[in-house]
Amino acid sequence: MVIERDIYKLIAPVLQSPEAVVITGMRRVGKTTLLNYIYEQIPSQNKLYLDLENPRNQLFFQEVDYNAVKKNLELLGLQKDSRAYVFLDEIQWVKQLPSVVKYLIDTYQIKFILSGSSSFYLKNQFSESLSGRKFIFELYPLNFTEFLRIQQAPEPQEEHRQASPALYATYKSYMDEYLKYGGFPGVVVKTTDAEKRAALDDIFTSYYQLEVLQFSDFRKSHKIRDLLFLLMERTGAKFDAQKLASVLGVARQTLMEYMAFLEGTYFLKVIKPHTVNKDVEIRKSGKIYICDPGLVRQFSQVDEGALFENAVFWNLQRAEKVQYYQRKNGAEIDFVVNGDRAYEVKLHASREDFNKLQNLARNIGIESASIVSREYVSMQDVLYLFNL
């Protein structure tokens, strides 16, 4: 089934603007489905959808004269007498596409809605070639609210901010499923454990074969493969560049290039420490979070605490700035969101956990503090995946 993704609320307001809409994200997160959903929401009949993974469709854009591209689109049914909407999927297959799109926007005011896998180079191309002429939206695996939507489960309301035992019981099985298999739409819709595990295997293989082997130019791609597994084992941990470089047998600079690639293709996120001192932020180690709890569980042996923290991170981050905080004595806050909200993640929260969090948060000027618990506890100020 097709569900409305939360990101659509951000995209809808700019669909009538002149700028191109570019949707990026890791493979299999639902970009094509979202593109089709937006296509159906456009009331105009003067619209065209092309999948550029099809070599035949690529030919329409491989013209030296960009006016010829416009004529090609008209042959496909685009009209001259009203505003035209062109939807292009898998845009990474046409290298000169950014300059073509720029010309057609400037010359013919065509509205482009584009999507493609998160090639590290694709992001750079569009940043340079469409400066001032695009809005970029990053799509991730389903958050828990979207997961409930695709399961046709009741979505929590604002009044559910304080959870009861009955409310927790309503969502417990859904949380168990989400934490076990994650939020890739193609996994969620499978009906058996074997199918879900096979789908996760396929997602990982596709990412490695297409992003790492086909679209990257790293000579030692097996080193990136090994790094992927090492990083999944370190989910929620601090990133120790020197140690990882030593384990892999590569230079530190090479490792940092690998990390930039993996983050640029949305396989992971490295979050920085919360501090008012930028020098400290740059110097301190970041913490690693892998794109989906299902992949982490499938390919690593991390404990339940790290798995749950990873899931909480991706449900907090969305379009917000998420950092962590740690003092020299080891006292830590798992997540600081937008500099004014503190969250501590626990499998089974306690009043002592909350008191420690609140005291530490207030010491750094943060008044809003919440514990996120995996298990139900009879205590106020506790959040769960369903009411984050």
Side-chain angles (χ1 to χ4, degrees), residues 173-236:
S173 62
Y174 294 110
M175 290 191 292
D176 292 344
E177 175 84 4
Y178 181 76
L179 292 170
K180 186 174 184 180
Y181 294 117
F184 280 101
V187 176
V188 175
V189 298
K190 300 298 182 187
T191 56
T192 69
D193 288 350
E195 288 175 333
K196 291 176 186 292
R197 288 194 296 270
L200 285 167
D201 283 340
D202 187 52
I203 287 167
F204 183 80
T205 299
S206 174
Y207 174 80
Y208 181 70
Q209 292 289 340
L210 296 176
E211 289 289 359
V212 177
L213 296 185
Q214 186 164 336
F215 282 106
S216 77
D217 59 2
F218 296 117
R219 287 174 296 174
K220 296 181 179 179
S221 56
H222 65 285
K223 295 289 187 180
I224 303 183
R225 177 201 62 204
D226 295 343
L227 178 60
L228 290 172
F229 292 110
L230 287 171
L231 291 170
M232 284 190 280
E233 293 287 348
R234 289 161 171 77
T235 299

Side-chain angles (χ1 to χ4, degrees), residues 62-81:
Q62 292 172 342
E63 302 277 4
V64 175
D65 181 357
Y66 292 166
N67 291 306
V69 175
K70 171 69 159 43
K71 288 183 170 59
N72 290 339
L73 296 177
E74 289 171 356
L75 289 173
L76 291 170
L78 216 62
Q79 302 164 19
K80 300 178 181 179
D81 56 355

Side-chain angles (χ1 to χ4, degrees), residues 313-331:
F313 166 73
W314 288 105
N315 279 266
L316 284 175
Q317 72 90 33
R318 300 174 192 176
E320 300 185 290
K321 181 180 181 181
V322 181
Q323 299 170 296
Y324 75 95
Y325 176 78
Q326 186 174 40
R327 287 186 163 175
K328 289 182 179 179
N329 64 6

Side-chain angles (χ1 to χ4, degrees), residues 1-21:
M1 65 172 295
V2 177
I3 65 163
E4 181 181 308
R5 299 296 297 268
D6 288 353
I7 198 172
Y8 178 70
K9 295 181 178 66
L10 303 177
I11 296 173
V14 301
L15 288 176
Q16 300 307 317
S17 69
E19 293 86 358
V21 170

Side-chain angles (χ1 to χ4, degrees), residues 315-360:
N315 279 266
L316 284 175
Q317 72 90 33
R318 300 174 192 176
E320 300 185 290
K321 181 180 181 181
V322 181
Q323 299 170 296
Y324 75 95
Y325 176 78
Q326 186 174 40
R327 287 186 163 175
K328 289 182 179 179
N329 64 6
E332 185 176 1
I333 297 174
D334 287 329
F335 302 120
V336 175
V337 178
N338 292 338
D340 59 8
R341 285 178 284 152
Y343 296 88
E344 185 70 13
V345 181
K346 298 292 181 182
L347 290 178
H348 192 92
S350 69
R351 174 56 58 184
E352 182 182 5
D353 292 328
F354 177 71
N355 290 339
K356 287 181 179 178
L357 170 64
Q358 193 173 53
N359 290 335
L360 184 54

Side-chain angles (χ1 to χ4, degrees), residues 158-303:
E158 185 61 33
E159 60 265 27
H160 295 150
R161 191 69 176 171
Q162 291 296 331
S164 65
L167 185 65
Y168 179 85
T170 299
Y171 293 106
K172 184 180 186 304
S173 62
Y174 294 110
M175 290 191 292
D176 292 344
E177 175 84 4
Y178 181 76
L179 292 170
K180 186 174 184 180
Y181 294 117
F184 280 101
V187 176
V188 175
V189 298
K190 300 298 182 187
T191 56
T192 69
D193 288 350
E195 288 175 333
K196 291 176 186 292
R197 288 194 296 270
L200 285 167
D201 283 340
D202 187 52
I203 287 167
F204 183 80
T205 299
S206 174
Y207 174 80
Y208 181 70
Q209 292 289 340
L210 296 176
E211 289 289 359
V212 177
L213 296 185
Q214 186 164 336
F215 282 106
S216 77
D217 59 2
F218 296 117
R219 287 174 296 174
K220 296 181 179 179
S221 56
H222 65 285
K223 295 289 187 180
I224 303 183
R225 177 201 62 204
D226 295 343
L227 178 60
L228 290 172
F229 292 110
L230 287 171
L231 291 170
M232 284 190 280
E233 293 287 348
R234 289 161 171 77
T235 299
K238 286 186 179 178
F239 171 60
D240 188 332
Q242 198 59 49
K243 184 175 181 179
L244 276 173
S246 177
V247 171
L248 283 174
V250 299
R252 189 180 188 280
Q253 179 59 37
T254 300
L255 177 73
M256 298 309 293
E257 290 173 2
Y258 292 166
M259 290 295 293
F261 175 81
L262 295 179
E263 192 163 13
T265 52
Y266 298 100
F267 185 81
L268 56 80
K269 191 89 168 178
V270 179
I271 68 170
K272 298 296 184 182
H274 173 71
T275 173
V276 295
N277 188 324
K278 284 296 178 184
D279 290 336
V280 172
E281 179 177 323
I282 293 170
R283 188 170 65 250
K284 278 193 172 182
S285 299
K287 288 174 67 176
I288 303 164
Y289 292 97
I290 305 300
C291 63
D292 180 72
L295 281 182
V296 176
R297 186 183 288 274
Q298 181 88 339
F299 294 103
S300 71
Q301 300 295 320
V302 302
D303 61 41

Side-chain angles (χ1 to χ4, degrees), residues 48-65:
L48 183 67
Y49 184 104
L50 293 172
D51 178 1
L52 295 183
E53 192 170 11
N54 185 331
R56 181 178 180 276
N57 291 337
Q58 295 171 19
L59 293 174
F60 298 133
F61 296 90
Q62 292 172 342
E63 302 277 4
V64 175
D65 181 357

